[in-house]
Amino acid sequence: MEESGEHIVVGTGELYLDQIFNDLRSLYAQIEIKVSEPFVKICETVVEASSVKCFAETPNKKNKISMIAEPLDKGLANCIQDRQLFKPENRSILIDNLVDEFGWDELTASSVWSFGP
């Protein structure tokens, strides 16, 4: 329950939530329920380095990419979220910040393509 008096209902999808509210309206509460537009909040995290390296290649086998997942350094997530690190017009600022502030090696820092969508 929020401070405003609203109740937050969490579900796996819009159809699922529609069914829940239909059941509340008709079977259980038998009252009208005011429902706001649904919103999606995705919160995922990595707690330790992955033990499996993900690998993909293009159908013509000329391009290959591999990656592992590792937890972010403390404070890095906030810097990314606040858009403090990345300036598209000057990529060297990103590399310098990752090396100086978070102790990344230069090769790893220069491998970052982007943050988020």
Side-chain angles (χ1 to χ4, degrees):
M1 186 169 165
E2 296 290 309
E3 289 179 14
S4 63
E6 294 176 313
H7 292 272
I8 304 294
V9 179
V10 180
T12 57
E14 196 170 344
L15 183 61
Y16 172 77
L17 290 172
D18 282 343
Q19 187 61 48
I20 285 176
F21 289 124
N22 182 48
D23 289 348
L24 277 172
R25 287 183 183 110
S26 60
L27 296 175
Y28 301 110
Q30 297 177 349
I31 60 171
E32 188 55 37
I33 299 171
K34 183 178 173 185
V35 179
S36 67
E37 287 296 314
F39 63 92
V40 177
K41 183 176 181 179
I42 299 174
C43 297
E44 297 180 11
T45 189
V46 175
V47 293
E48 61 184 43
S50 59
S51 59
V52 177
K53 183 183 274 191
C54 298
F55 178 78
E57 65 183 359
T58 56
N60 65 6
K61 310 237 188 279
K62 292 189 178 189
N63 300 303
K64 300 175 183 178
I65 187 169
S66 64
M67 65 179 235
I68 59 170
E70 294 181 8
L72 294 175
D73 300 316
K74 288 190 183 258
L76 181 55
N78 292 334
C79 288
I80 294 169
Q81 194 168 16
D82 296 340
R83 299 182 185 270
Q84 296 173 0
L85 289 176
F86 191 68
K87 304 280 188 245
E89 64 276 358
N90 193 348
R91 186 164 160 72
S92 66
I93 291 174
L94 169 66
I95 296 168
D96 291 343
N97 283 340
L98 290 173
V99 170
D100 296 340
E101 293 181 31
F102 298 102
W104 288 28
D105 64 88
E106 199 165 327
L107 180 62
T108 303
S110 63
S111 299
V112 175
W113 290 357
S114 69
F115 295 116

